[in-house]
Structure formats: structure tokens, C-alpha cells
Amino acid sequence: MVCSVDGSGPVVVVRARTRPAAPARCTGCETPSGWCHSRYVRRLGDTSLGGRPVLIELSVRRLYCENAACGKVTFAEQVPGLTARYQRRTPLLQQVVEAAGVLLAGRGGARMLRVLNVTLSRCTVLSQLMRMPLPALATPRVLGVDDFALYGGTYGTLLVDATTRLPLTLWEGRGAEQLSHWLREHPGVEIVCRDGSLTYRQGITAGAPEAIQISDRFHLWQGLSRRVQDIATAHRNCLPAALPPAEEAGREPDEGTTEDAAADTRAGRHARRLFQAVHTLTDTGRSYGAAARELGLDRKTVRKYARARTWQEVMRRPPRKPSTLDPYRDYLQQRWDEGEHDAMVLHGELRNKGYLGHYQRVKMAVAPLRRGLPLDQPRERPPSPREAARWITTHPDHRGLHVAHRLHRLLEHCPELKRTHDLVRRFAAMLDNRDAAPLPAWLEELSRSGLAPLAGIAGALREDQHAVAQGITTTYNSGVNEGRITDVKLQKRLMAGRAGVPLLRHRVVLIAHLRRRYMDRPTTTPR
């Protein structure tokens, strides 16, 4: 019962005492007892009230245990919902401290608790967090396994229950022996989702030989896409064929005129002088490194000039990047021909047509017109190997008309890329239809394609063919694993990468259960 409440100071002090007639249960044998030995005052911190901390001064009894067989002679009574053994905080405040530690770790949790008028150090918050027991681990039917980077070249392994989407545990390292040991200690796993790692494959085979292994669809497609980019890099010289043919209008100036103009510039004279000096040395058999040391240049610069056939190749201007002003250049030329030469007025007219760029860009665009030169027209650049690989791996229905035309020209010019495109689309059809029947024939064609990157991935997929077929046909995948690894990286950043594996494991597991508890709680709409 509450005896008094003192709110005159900075701390609200509540004085209370337990009822003397109520029996209490022994903390050792649970035997009820009403035989009072003495009383003492417990001071408990509670959640703040009106922005002020609360201190409860509770007078409790120490009782004799009436069970002669019990090892305890006396015990202190506990008030359910208010006290806990060896605890100077109420269960409600303890839940707030633990939640702050789980969600924000040490420093962040201590700062948040300070806002809630609870003064604790970061070490105390972390110790309270590590005292929390982890949820009981039940062996999942569908297990997800994936690795993540801990720090530097050190990796860890994360296990996820693919059915409940909750993390189970994590440890440092990604060895096969660690995974097989865990599987032997937790029998009953029927399906394991993983990437194409040989280490995890061996660990699952040793620890749970009867479990069905599934190679993730995303990792399969990602591995194939990387090989496509390797092929595009090897055929980099074919990529300019994707550009549309030059128009017959004669926009390009005469080659001789361009060379003469470039030779009269300071940059042209410098490039011609370097070209002659580099070729004087390298044409006599000197190495790039020796020529670089003698000329005082970087080796890459010497190599660039040595591989060029003429000095104009080094002077070649790179294609201009696309600009938001490109769709309005014809209108600018039209208005200039009509007599409007004010860049501010032209910028206002373009804004009315939907242009969102700055006035300065319009001013620079019309600068050649003021010197009597033609308006600078956008020039396309050839696709990079990554862009060409993305064109090939993108579904045909999702390619724009612009990309479709350029990819068609590229494939017509390069038979190797066309062969790669056909093989990629056949594998995509297997994934879309969830049909692994064509897989053996497709792998055989990869081996006979004459393309080293595809032949290499064919050998790796053939060794793991059963898991690959399961990944194509079943609905299980490693999407849950990837999402949880993103969460692991977030927790690492919150702790500035200083967390050890035990603390990281505690936070990753507990924060997932804490979120699930509050997400599953029904919400009530106020009337």
C-alpha cells in the first residue's frame, strides 16, 4: 500500500509498504510463509513521471521459511510486477533499459535513456543487454545460410529460419566444419538455401546429408551476369558497333582541317612532342618502364602514347556526356535563327517547355552561336562492358526502344556476344518457367560455346547441378538471408564496427524478436 508521495523535489519519491498479513512464497522451495523476521527498505527506480524520475521506497518483509527441508532460513518477499530479486529497477524500467540496449547498443542506448531521465553508463546498458537470455532455439525445417563481412578479410556465417524469417545464430568464420557441427547438433533440417559456395556445400553434406540443398536463383543469375560482363570486356572493340551510323549531312568537320586546328593549340603541340619522344625510345626496343624513367612520365602515360598510331589519337576529344538540354537544342537553334539572342529570355522559354536546368547551361550552349560556330550537338559514346552486359541480361520486354536498336546492331556485329545473348535468354526462360529439364543440354552448350567465362561457370554449375535444379524449380530462395545480412550490417554501423561476435549475435537475434513482438501487436484506433 502507498504511504506517501513527495513531488516537491527533482525526483518523485513514492513511499510504500507491503501488507503484513499476506503470506509470501519462499524463493527457494515456493512454500508459503507468514512468519516475519524483520523489515527493510528497498529503493527501486521506475519510469519517469511528468518528465521527472521516480524513486520507490518500498518497505518489505524478511520472512522465515517454514519448510525445515529447505536450505534457506530467511527470504525476502517479492511483489509481483514491482520487484525482482537482486534488481534495483522495476520490471517496467528494466524492459525500457533492455529495449534501449537491444535497439541502440551502448552509447546510443545510454543517450536515449538520459532523455527518459534514466542515468546509466554505456557499460551498464551493455551488461544488461548481455544478461538477457536468447530465445530458445528450435531446429528449423528450412534453413538459410549465408556469409557476411565482419571486418577486413574476416567473414562470419549467419543462419536464418526461412519459415519464420528470424535469425537463429551467427559466428565468426565460414568454414565447412563449423556449419556441419551445428547441423549435427540440431538434427531435423530438411531444406537448406545457400549460394554457390563450395565450403557451405561441403558443410551441409557432412552435417545433414539427407537435407535438400537449394542454390539461390539470385546468386545463379548474378554469377552468370558477371561472366557476361567478362565477355563484353574481352570484346570491347566491338562495342562501338552499337552506335547508330553517322548521318550523311556532314556535321563532322573535315579531318585535315581538324588536325591543323588541333596542331596549332598548346595541347596539340604538347601531345605531338610527347608522341615523338615516346616513339623515339619505344621503337628501338626500350621498355615502357625505362622510357618512363628517362622522360620523367608515368608508365601508363608512356604506354598510352606508345600504343597510339598518331598523335591525334591521344588528342581525340571524348564524347560529351548527355545533358538535360539535349532535347531542346533544335528549339534553341530555331529561336536563334529567328533573332532571339538573349540567353535569359531563351532560358525562360525553355522553362515553359519543361526544362528544369540552370540558366548557366543555356548561356554556355548558345556561346558557339555568338562566335558564328554551329550549335554543339550531342555525341553518343559507345556502351561500356557493364552497360552491354546489362542490355543482354535485361528481359526483352523491359528494354527501351533506344536500347533494343543498339543491342540489335551490337549482336549483328559480334557473333560471340550474340551467342552469349542466346544462352542467357535460354537460362532466363528456365527461371521464368521453373523448368530445369533443359539444364543439362544448356550446360553442355556452355562448355562448347568457345567462350572461356561461360565454360568456366558451366563446370561449377555441373558440379552443383542438383542444387541448381532445385533453385530453378522450387520457390525457396536466399532472399531472407540477404535481408537479415543487411540488418547485421546496420547493427555493425550503429556500434561503429567495435562490437565483438557475442554482442553482435545478441543484438541481431534479440532485435528481430523485439520487432516481431511489436509488429504482431494489434493496433487500436482511438474513438
Side-chain angles (χ1 to χ4, degrees):
M1 59 182 178
V2 177
C3 299
S4 65
V5 178
D6 183 6
S8 58
V11 179
V12 179
V13 181
V14 179
R15 297 180 177 86
R17 60 185 288 124
T18 58
R19 297 183 182 276
R25 292 185 176 275
C26 175
T27 56
C29 62
E30 297 291 328
T31 302
S33 176
W35 186 7
C36 183
H37 172 275
S38 60
R39 276 187 176 271
Y40 72 100
V41 177
R42 295 186 64 177
R43 291 172 174 80
L44 306 169
D46 198 9
T47 54
S48 60
L49 178 64
R52 289 189 293 173
V54 176
L55 176 64
I56 301 176
E57 294 184 351
L58 178 65
S59 175
V60 297
R61 297 174 295 169
R62 178 170 292 277
L63 305 168
Y64 288 103
C65 181
E66 301 181 13
N67 183 8
C70 180
K72 285 184 174 292
V73 179
T74 63
F75 65 93
E77 66 176 333
Q78 303 295 332
V79 180
L82 185 63
T83 64
R85 297 181 66 189
Y86 313 114
Q87 187 65 263
R88 301 183 67 178
R89 286 182 287 272
T90 63
L92 181 59
L93 180 58
Q94 181 65 17
Q95 290 180 7
V96 173
V97 172
E98 291 175 349
V102 171
L103 295 173
L104 300 173
R107 294 185 186 275
R111 291 168 183 153
M112 177 55 68
L113 290 173
R114 198 173 298 121
V115 174
L116 301 176
N117 292 298
V118 181
T119 304
L120 291 176
S121 68
R122 62 181 180 87
C123 295
T124 303
V125 175
L126 290 179
S127 66
Q128 295 299 315
L129 168 61
M130 296 303 294
R131 285 174 54 187
M132 296 178 64
L134 293 176
L137 197 153
T139 302
R141 175 178 169 268
V142 184
L143 177 68
V145 182
D146 209 344
D147 61 343
F148 63 95
L150 272 173
Y151 46 84
T154 305
Y155 290 82
T157 298
L158 176 68
L159 303 186
V160 182
D161 187 339
T163 303
T164 62
R165 309 177 74 86
L166 292 174
L168 299 174
T169 185
L170 61 88
W171 60 74
E172 182 178 347
R174 49 180 178 179
E177 182 58 33
Q178 294 171 299
L179 180 57
S180 62
H181 179 70
W182 190 93
L183 290 172
R184 282 192 294 266
E185 287 188 343
H186 302 83
V189 176
E190 301 178 8
I191 300 173
V192 183
C193 301
R194 57 168 176 79
D195 55 14
S197 170
L198 175 61
T199 303
Y200 286 151
R201 187 198 318 170
Q202 294 172 346
I204 297 168
T205 303
E210 297 182 357
I212 300 175
Q213 300 187 36
I214 297 178
S215 186
D216 182 52
R217 297 159 60 93
F218 166 76
H219 290 95
L220 292 174
W221 187 257
Q222 184 185 51
L224 182 61
S225 300
R226 289 173 179 170
R227 301 312 191 280
V228 173
Q229 183 173 342
D230 293 341
I231 297 173
T233 303
H235 295 80
R236 185 189 295 270
N237 295 334
C238 298
L239 299 182
L243 298 178
E247 297 181 358
E248 301 283 337
R251 287 183 179 178
E252 297 292 335
D254 183 70
E255 184 176 357
T257 305
T258 305
E259 293 181 3
D260 294 339
D264 292 335
T265 63
R266 180 179 179 182
R269 291 191 295 270
H270 177 72
R272 183 168 54 182
R273 186 169 59 252
L274 281 185
F275 178 83
Q276 294 173 353
V278 168
H279 275 269
T280 301
L281 296 176
T282 57
D283 290 348
T284 59
R286 301 284 292 277
S287 65
Y288 294 162
R293 287 190 296 271
E294 184 170 341
L295 296 175
L297 300 174
D298 187 83
R299 185 178 182 279
K300 294 180 181 180
T301 304
V302 172
R303 182 179 61 185
K304 179 179 70 173
Y305 277 89
R307 291 181 177 181
R309 292 171 297 180
T310 62
W311 65 268
Q312 287 85 357
E313 291 184 15
V314 187
M315 281 289 297
R316 184 171 296 167
R317 179 182 170 187
R320 188 179 58 81
K321 294 182 179 180
S323 167
T324 55
L325 189 61
D326 291 345
Y328 305 96
R329 291 183 180 275
D330 292 340
Y331 180 78
L332 279 178
Q333 184 68 53
Q334 175 187 344
R335 294 292 292 134
W336 186 273
D337 295 341
E338 292 174 357
E340 182 55 68
H341 297 171
D342 191 332
M344 186 68 72
V345 175
L346 293 174
H347 178 256
E349 295 179 3
L350 293 183
R351 288 183 63 87
N352 294 334
K353 288 183 170 293
Y355 175 65
L356 301 178
H358 195 268
Y359 154 77
Q360 198 69 21
R361 181 165 292 179
V362 178
K363 178 181 177 181
M364 294 176 62
V366 299
L369 298 176
R370 299 186 187 279
R371 300 193 300 268
L373 301 175
L375 193 67
D376 187 18
Q377 295 296 328
R379 292 178 291 173
E380 268 194 293
R381 60 175 179 82
S384 65
R386 178 177 295 184
E387 287 178 318
R390 186 170 64 248
W391 292 354
I392 293 174
T393 55
T394 301
H395 194 280
D397 295 340
H398 298 161
R399 297 172 188 155
L401 189 61
H402 177 83
V403 171
H405 289 334
R406 280 152 181 74
L407 179 59
H408 176 73
R409 284 191 289 266
L410 177 60
L411 299 183
E412 288 294 325
H413 179 268
C414 183
E416 290 81 5
L417 288 177
K418 179 175 178 57
R419 193 179 313 126
T420 303
H421 174 268
D422 296 340
L423 291 171
V424 168
R425 298 277 31 106
R426 287 179 55 186
F427 185 71
M430 284 189 275
L431 293 178
D432 293 339
N433 301 328
R434 296 192 179 278
D435 181 15
L439 181 61
W442 182 77
L443 292 176
E444 186 63 29
E445 289 197 27
L446 284 186
S447 302
R448 294 186 285 102
S449 63
L451 302 170
L454 294 184
I457 195 176
L461 295 180
R462 188 175 288 109
E463 294 178 1
D464 199 22
Q465 186 169 341
H466 180 72
V468 172
Q470 292 291 335
I472 294 174
T473 56
T474 61
T475 58
Y476 297 108
N477 55 70
S478 296
V480 179
N481 308 0
E482 299 296 336
R484 287 303 174 190
I485 285 178
T486 301
D487 191 49
V488 171
K489 295 177 181 178
L490 173 62
Q491 310 315 322
K492 284 176 51 186
R493 285 194 293 270
L494 287 176
M495 295 183 285
R498 293 193 294 266
V501 174
L503 176 57
L504 185 61
R505 181 190 306 115
H506 244 70
R507 291 202 61 220
V508 168
V509 175
L510 291 176
I511 198 172
H513 286 79
L514 186 65
R515 290 171 178 164
R516 179 66 57 88
R517 185 197 312 167
Y518 286 99
M519 286 174 57
D520 294 345
R521 180 176 295 179
T523 57
T524 56
T525 305
R527 296 181 179 179

